[in-house]
Amino acid sequence: MNGAGLAQGFLAEANPTTAGHRFHSAILLSDRIRVAAAGSDRTRYHHVMGWAHLILPGIEQLMELRNLHLDPFDPRNRAHEIAPLEVLAAPDRLSLLLGDINSIGTGFPEPDWSRLPDHLLNGHLRSPGEEPRSDREAVELLARAGFIDTSASAGKEDVPTAAFADGDVPRRQDLILASPALVPAVTDYQVHMEPVDRGLSDHAAVSIDLDLNRFGQD
């Protein structure tokens, strides 16, 4: 949804990291959208999950939004974090999962992890004893539950969104996943490099456009 005419917001305050940082999550909404309920969950999540149930103009059914920032260090915990969200992909629900998943999207090409120092690898690779490839369990579980990566229909699954610094491994870990019932309303997907180019963030911004007239279409 586009950011024009933002009139309201909700801040989900994150847990402090071991370095003392807190990566809060914000949901900013247009004045055309009403909020039926909103909240956050820090208990299950390494950082935080912000959530909102939204009333869209002309749509009787609530949209269920989850704003995620998953564990960057432990792939097994990422799978734990997303487990309760799989039911949101049920055929009768309008759901969006978005945020920094810290796991590479399913369609992104396998990176060359030899560029990354050994002490940083465990947050990205499968468990020791398995083939040393990217851990994508969290996103693969969500895909098996029915969620659709919105980059796919735009042919941009291979466009990185993060890790552009020298010596890092560019990857697409900022994802927007839609439930099957919501997919027909997605008309565009874009990766915006302005935050990186202007030194405001080490992540690009990702956006989708929704056509409210297309909800419920096959």
Side-chain angles (χ1 to χ4, degrees):
M1 285 174 288
N2 110 21
L6 297 179
Q8 55 188 315
F10 174 75
L11 181 68
E13 296 187 356
N15 294 311
T17 66
T18 53
H21 305 301
R22 299 181 72 187
F23 295 100
H24 304 311
S25 172
I27 297 173
L28 305 177
L29 300 171
S30 162
D31 56 5
R32 299 177 60 209
I33 297 171
R34 289 188 293 150
V35 180
S40 63
D41 184 350
R42 285 191 295 178
T43 302
R44 187 180 187 89
Y45 295 88
H46 177 87
H47 290 299
V48 67
M49 179 191 73
W51 62 269
H53 294 169
L54 306 178
I55 302 170
L56 305 181
I59 307 299
E60 293 185 5
Q61 189 173 347
L62 292 176
M63 176 189 284
E64 301 177 82
L65 177 68
R66 300 294 185 271
N67 192 5
L68 303 171
H69 191 178
L70 300 186
D71 193 331
F73 303 115
D74 187 349
R76 290 151 297 280
N77 192 41
R78 288 197 292 268
H80 172 78
E81 288 177 306
I82 61 91
L85 307 179
E86 296 166 6
V87 297
L88 296 176
D92 59 344
R93 301 177 84 158
L94 300 177
S95 307
L96 274 180
L97 307 183
L98 52 86
D100 184 355
I101 308 299
N102 272 311
S103 179
I104 296 177
T106 53
F108 193 82
E110 184 65 20
D112 177 10
W113 292 110
S114 66
R115 298 174 51 186
L116 207 62
D118 290 348
H119 68 281
L120 298 177
L121 286 175
N122 284 337
H124 302 287
L125 300 184
R126 298 176 180 179
S127 297
E130 299 184 46
E131 184 180 3
R133 294 176 60 84
S134 304
D135 173 86
R136 309 188 195 211
E137 184 177 5
V139 292
E140 288 172 345
L141 287 169
L142 290 170
R144 187 166 69 183
F147 276 103
I148 308 297
D149 191 323
T150 56
S151 69
S153 60
K156 297 181 179 179
E157 291 179 290
D158 60 349
V159 179
T161 66
F164 300 106
D166 291 342
D168 209 336
V169 179
R171 51 193 180 268
R172 186 171 64 85
Q173 66 183 51
D174 305 276
L175 310 182
I176 303 177
L177 308 177
S179 63
L182 188 58
V183 169
V186 179
T187 60
D188 192 30
Y189 166 95
Q190 296 289 336
V191 176
H192 309 274
M193 290 299 297
E194 290 88 344
V196 176
D197 294 340
R198 297 174 63 183
L200 302 175
S201 175
D202 58 349
H203 290 245
V206 181
S207 69
I208 61 171
D209 290 337
L210 299 175
D211 182 348
L212 300 187
N213 295 318
R214 297 174 61 175
F215 277 97
Q217 295 183 8
D218 293 327

